[in-house]
Amino acid sequence: MDDDRAMDAPLDDDRAMDAPPVQSTLTVLTTTDAEDKARDLATGAIRARLAACAQITGPVTSVYRWEGEIETAREWQVLLKTTTARYAALETWLTEAHDYDTPEIIATPVVRGSAAYLEWVERETAE
């Protein structure tokens, strides 16, 4: 088989990429208006075992409608890795720890991932 055909071959779902049920793993995004606040949110969630990992990205420019006006703000994103079992506690903690009236808290299911990494997320967020 030449290289071009190998690249077009469908992936075999039974290969090493298989992982434990990924529907139990989530990425959770929040934003805040200062880098130190982003670090505090990330560190606090990890310390409380509500997330296994967090990445901080920023600054980013956010454009949104707030109280009838279009606003533009400089923010930092915090992307947290957690499980569906820990999501409610993480959302509650973020809402209480956050200084925004209505913080962005969005969870996205992980549909595929490294088995070792997903197992690590489960272990690090276990109660």
Side-chain angles (χ1 to χ4, degrees):
M1 175 182 286
D2 65 37
D3 287 340
D4 289 335
R5 286 191 297 160
M7 289 176 52
D8 292 336
L11 288 177
D12 181 348
D13 286 339
D14 295 329
R15 294 192 323 198
M17 293 284 297
D18 284 347
V22 291
Q23 63 270 20
S24 68
T25 306
L26 302 171
T27 60
V28 178
L29 178 67
T30 193
T31 56
T32 191
D33 61 359
E35 186 175 7
D36 62 325
K37 291 178 185 179
R39 280 197 187 115
D40 290 346
L41 290 171
T43 302
I46 304 289
R47 187 172 286 126
R49 298 186 80 85
L50 299 172
C53 174
Q55 280 98 27
I56 299 168
T57 306
V60 298
T61 301
S62 295
V63 180
Y64 55 94
R65 185 178 303 277
W66 183 253
E67 297 179 351
E69 299 294 324
I70 295 177
E71 303 283 341
T72 301
R74 188 167 116 156
E75 295 186 300
W76 279 258
Q77 296 178 323
V78 182
L79 185 64
L80 303 126
K81 282 43 160 248
T82 193
T83 61
T84 54
R86 297 297 277 156
Y87 175 77
L90 175 59
E91 181 181 340
T92 298
W93 185 88
L94 285 169
T95 301
E96 292 170 359
H98 214 293
D99 65 341
Y100 283 12
D101 292 339
T102 307
E104 174 181 12
I105 303 171
I106 299 173
T108 304
V110 173
V111 296
R112 296 252 354 209
S114 154
Y117 184 81
L118 299 176
E119 290 165 1
W120 174 79
V121 171
E122 291 277 343
R123 281 193 314 274
E124 292 304 314
T125 56
E127 291 186 74

